[in-house]
């Protein structure tokens, strides 16, 4: 069993460089099967979700060549359109193959996806979008069989600005006949990244990054390339760490506009940082102000930063209120923060955090990906040794986390026993 062991309390200084965004890469890799030739994706993070997606691409008969953080996918000879249950369920983003295979082959068989257990996470909005384009969706247990004789552009308004549904419907519409308009589309940067890739291969998508996306269907996608944008959640996680135990800790390779909501919250909390063109430098703040925080869709405060942010709130001088508005069950980490010494009272979607609290190392579990990141932050600020189990959640989304933290002075290691 793999575990992370942390001896907390070290001050961190130096530079952490941010890798490509997990949530972009996990959409770009499935999008690659829309290409009728081959394409290159650069700056792909080295995370276990990447490896699962490559396994799926190979199952579909893509030829995938990895060269450090570059991946070349030859998708000209895709023959399969069925994704086995075991691979579908290994991660959430397997569902992007619904849109891409449907668009190119008018047929896909796939199982309900896996991913972090942070709520029910239905995919009804994706399905409604496919149906609006003319697809027939049959659901037997967890198996989804989606077929279309022809896909035709359609006008639709999403019930909720879902990131996954926006991307999936965009993928499905790329090769549909005529114009699709998606209203109330999600505006997250990952959507722009996917649209940039598809347009580079000849797709006609406009408006990505706004709430109205227009897609004019094309028949063929030629060779193309894209670079994965920097991971704003990875960046935010380390920035928060800097505010608690940094000494001029520099987080570089960021796009400041993508972390605006986090930076303005830090300013609210009287935490100082130096913002440059592509970096943030931050040091320990000794008088953190409490604040109230509510997660929201972009450009609001991203839900994925909520759990790491709660660790910072435990160090504030006073009472903070936290509300999660996207998922019904994203508080699994709280019991472990309390075990470490926090004073948090929580319901399913809200919490009262009474700070400041001193943390003492103990055994904790990574309940999900960002809950796991919260445990790493908590262990690093704690006195003594913290052991984190179920760390496969963390490795799904944080590239090289152990090395990166060791390089800036953390006493952290991964053991496999
Ligand atoms: C993506 O999930 C990310 N995952 C999540 O990353 C992230 O939390 C989320 O977007 C919001 O930013 C990937 O990119 C693989 P949604 P996604 O569709 O697409 C409801 C992380 O930690 N909904 O925007 O699944 C849904 O239940 C994670 O990296 C429906 O009701 O998120 C949720 O309450 C975890 N029906 C809300 O919308 C649908 O058909 C937002 O979901 C689709 C979604």
């Amino acid at each position: 069993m793999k575990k992370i062991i942390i001896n907390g309390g070290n001050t961190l200084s130096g530079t952490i460089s941010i890798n490509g965004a997990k949530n972009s890469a996990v959409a770009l890799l499935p999008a690659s099967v829309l290409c009728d030739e081959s394409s290159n994706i650069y700056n792909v993070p080295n995370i276990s979700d990447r490896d699962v997606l490559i396994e799926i691409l190979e199952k579909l008969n893509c030829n995938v060549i990895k060269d450090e953080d570059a991946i070349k996918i030859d998708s000209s000879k895709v023959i399969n359109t069925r994704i086995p249950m075991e691979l579908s369920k290994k991660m959430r983003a397997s569902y992007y193959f619904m849109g891409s295979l449907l668009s190119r082959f008018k047929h896909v068989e796939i199982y309900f996806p896996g991913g972090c257990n942070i709520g029910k996470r239905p995919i009804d909005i994706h399905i409604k979008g496919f149906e609006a384009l003319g697809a027939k969706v049959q659901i037997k247990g967890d198996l989804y069989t989606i077929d279309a004789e022809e896909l035709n552009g359609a006008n639709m308004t999403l019930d909720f600005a879902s990131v996954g549904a926006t991307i999936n419907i965009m993928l499905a519409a790329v090769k549909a006949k005529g114009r699709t308009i998606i209203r109330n589309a999600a505006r997250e940067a990952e959507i722009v990244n996917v649209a940039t890739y598809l347009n580079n291969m000849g797709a006609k998508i406009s408006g990505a990054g706004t709430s109205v996306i227009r897609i004019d269907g094309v028949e063929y996608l030629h060779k193309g390339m894209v670079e994965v944008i920097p991971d704003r959640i990875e960046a935010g996680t380390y920035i928060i760490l800097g505010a608690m135990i940094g000494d001029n800790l520099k987080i570089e390779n960021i796009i400041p506009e993508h972390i605006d909501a986090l930076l303005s919250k830090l300013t609210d909390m009287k935490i100082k940082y130096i913002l440059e063109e592509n970096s943030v430098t931050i040091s320990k703040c000794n008088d953190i102000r409490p604040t109230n925080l509510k997660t929201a869709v972009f450009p609001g405060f991203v839900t994925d930063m909520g759990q790491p942010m709660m660790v910072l709130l435990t160090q504030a001088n006073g009472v903070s209120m936290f509300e999660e508005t996207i998922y019904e069950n994203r508080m699994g980490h709280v019991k472990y923060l309390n075990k470490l010494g926090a004073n948090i009272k929580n319901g399913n979607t809200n919490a009262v955090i009474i700070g400041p609290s001193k943390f003492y190392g103990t055994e904790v579990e990574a309940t999900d990906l960002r809950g796991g990141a919260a445990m790493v932050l908590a262990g690093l600020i704690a006195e003594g040794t913290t052991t984190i189990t179920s760390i496969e959640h963390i490795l799904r989304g944080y590239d090289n986390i152990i090395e990166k933290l060791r390089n800036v002075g953390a006493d952290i290691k991964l053991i496999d026993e």
Side-chain angles (χ1 to χ4, degrees), residues 22-24 26-27 49 91-96 115-116 118-127 160-167 186 188 190 232-233 296-298 302-305 307 324-328 330 368-371 396-398:
K22 163 194 164 267
N23 287 345
S24 259
V26 300
D49 274 6
M91 60 184 305
R92 188 78 189 158
S94 59
Y95 64 17
Y96 289 129
C116 288
I118 50 180
K120 286 201 273 314
R121 308 184 80 182
I123 56 169
D124 55 312
I125 305 172
H126 306 230
I127 300 303
F160 180 82
S162 147
V163 174
T166 302
I167 294 178
E188 272 74 357
E190 291 79 16
R232 63 198 164 111
I233 313 300
V297 296
F298 190 81
V302 58
T303 168
D304 299 344
M305 283 308 308
Q307 291 158 296
E324 163 61 33
T325 69
I326 310 294
Y327 296 109
E328 322 85 80
R330 214 169 190 176
D368 55 84
L369 168 58
R370 309 300 170 190
R396 279 189 35 228
Y398 285 85

Side-chain angles (χ1 to χ4, degrees), residues 198-214:
L198 296 168
N199 283 344
N200 189 265
M201 299 190 286
K204 293 195 173 140
I205 303 170
S206 60
T210 76
S211 55
V212 183
I213 302 180
R214 290 181 175 75

Side-chain angles (χ1 to χ4, degrees), residues 370-385:
R370 309 300 170 190
M375 291 305 119
V376 173
L377 300 189
L380 288 167
I381 65 167
E383 187 181 312
T385 304

Side-chain angles (χ1 to χ4, degrees), residues 287-309:
D287 187 16
I288 301 174
R289 289 263 181 96
T291 190
N292 295 338
L293 181 61
K294 195 171 173 172
T295 63
V297 296
F298 190 81
F301 194 95
V302 58
T303 168
D304 299 344
M305 283 308 308
Q307 291 158 296
M309 192 65 179

Side-chain angles (χ1 to χ4, degrees), residues 141-247:
D142 269 359
L143 174 64
Y144 284 64
T145 305
I146 313 178
D147 288 293
E149 276 180 17
E150 192 175 273
L151 292 172
N152 288 297
N155 254 306
M156 59 187 91
T157 301
L158 306 187
D159 292 338
F160 180 82
S162 147
V163 174
T166 302
I167 294 178
N168 230 344
I169 297 166
M170 192 165 84
L171 295 174
V174 163
K175 290 186 172 177
K177 285 194 176 142
R179 173 171 282 196
T180 298
I181 302 182
I182 309 173
R183 294 179 204 280
N184 194 28
R187 290 174 286 164
E188 272 74 357
E190 291 79 16
I191 293 149
V192 183
N193 209 188
V194 176
T196 305
Y197 176 44
L198 296 168
N199 283 344
N200 189 265
M201 299 190 286
K204 293 195 173 140
I205 303 170
S206 60
T210 76
S211 55
V212 183
I213 302 180
R214 290 181 175 75
I215 304 130
D216 287 311
V218 296
E219 281 181 10
Y220 191 85
L221 291 192
H222 53 67
K223 274 192 183 8
M225 55 83 76
V226 73
E227 185 170 336
V228 182
I229 54 171
D231 196 313
R232 63 198 164 111
I233 313 300
E234 187 195 15
T237 304
Y238 295 129
I239 290 171
I240 287 175
L241 192 55
M244 298 189 292
I245 49 170
D247 175 11

